[in-house]
Amino acid sequence: LGFVEISKTPGSGFPGATMGAAARNFCDGQVGWAGQEGIGLPQYHDLPAASDDGYVLILSNMHRSIFSEIERRLFYNGVAQLVRTHPQTTFLWKPHQAEVQRRLEPLYAPLMRQVGRNLELLTKETMAGRTTLDIIRRCSRAVSSASSVLLELEMYAKPTLLYTPVSMEGVVPALGGIHPFHDDVTLLASYADMVARPDAY
């Protein structure tokens, strides 16, 4: 399913940027993952076994222009509070490569203050050859914003909480059975339930 982002510069965060409905984009045809003509996600056909290394994986792409400043702040503050509330738990934060930028720094600063305690920031430089699929395969559970990583989390049946602010209302119904949060209160409550009942997530 292809989506088109409309803004002066994709990912710029300019006001009025939106995410539209399914689009053909610049192709003559599309190969789908699902449905009668679907091929399935290619990685699924040669999938290394899942493991559990005990860490919680934070996956984010809050640089996208669909998110408002308030929505970004709610995500980062919520995750920062989650990390602070669970000091004995190891968290790995894998932001999108375009996300950790100076323009957004005031918004993700609360989360950055946790780095080096029980939070490790994964960047291109610190991934040490690992792929996003590698770190998903080895996580215990995940907290994520909506992106293609949800397919990989589902492939490995990893318990996952999904950030669902107002701007995601149009996308959420298409995702089926998700476990949403939209601020720190719902994140902390849902996380506690996910730890207690991982099979339900």
Side-chain angles (χ1 to χ4, degrees):
L1 183 63
F3 287 93
V4 59
E5 185 177 41
I6 303 163
S7 65
K8 240 180 183 177
T9 306
S12 67
F14 287 140
T18 60
M19 180 177 279
R24 288 181 62 84
N25 297 326
F26 301 100
C27 62
D28 295 323
Q30 289 180 318
V31 177
W33 291 319
Q36 289 185 339
E37 303 297 321
I39 63 167
L41 194 62
Q43 299 97 301
Y44 186 76
H45 301 294
D46 186 25
L47 202 62
S51 62
D52 184 346
D53 288 3
Y55 59 82
V56 177
L57 184 58
I58 309 297
L59 296 159
S60 61
N61 60 352
M62 301 308 294
H63 65 290
R64 295 170 63 191
S65 61
I66 189 170
F67 295 114
S68 70
E69 181 174 326
I70 291 172
E71 289 174 335
R72 290 182 179 117
R73 196 174 298 276
L74 285 170
F75 177 84
Y76 293 125
N77 288 349
V79 173
Q81 188 166 337
L82 177 68
V83 172
R84 277 194 307 274
T85 305
H86 297 276
Q88 303 308 313
T89 302
T90 299
F91 292 86
L92 303 185
W93 173 29
K94 172 66 176 70
H96 187 280
Q97 60 188 10
E99 185 174 358
V100 181
Q101 54 176 281
R102 186 169 304 212
R103 180 178 65 84
L104 299 179
E105 192 170 351
L107 304 178
Y108 61 71
L111 190 51
M112 286 294 281
R113 284 195 283 273
Q114 304 305 310
V115 172
R117 296 176 185 176
N118 58 326
L119 175 68
E120 179 184 346
L121 173 62
L122 297 177
T123 63
K124 187 171 65 173
E125 293 75 31
T126 62
M127 287 287 280
R130 294 175 291 181
T131 66
T132 302
L133 188 63
D134 291 334
I135 59 175
I136 287 173
R137 182 169 70 88
R138 293 183 169 96
C139 75
S140 176
R141 59 190 70 92
V143 174
S144 182
S145 56
S147 78
S148 60
V149 296
L150 294 177
L151 294 166
E152 296 164 335
L153 289 161
E154 187 171 10
M155 281 194 307
Y156 280 114
K158 297 295 183 175
T160 303
L161 296 174
L162 178 66
Y163 183 53
T164 57
V166 172
S167 63
M168 288 280 116
E169 280 181 341
V171 176
V172 168
L175 297 178
I178 61 163
H179 299 277
F181 73 95
H182 54 270
D183 59 17
D184 58 341
V185 174
T186 53
L187 174 57
L188 293 174
S190 297
Y191 181 83
D193 189 57
M194 181 170 65
V195 170
R197 304 182 311 123
D199 291 343
Y201 287 78

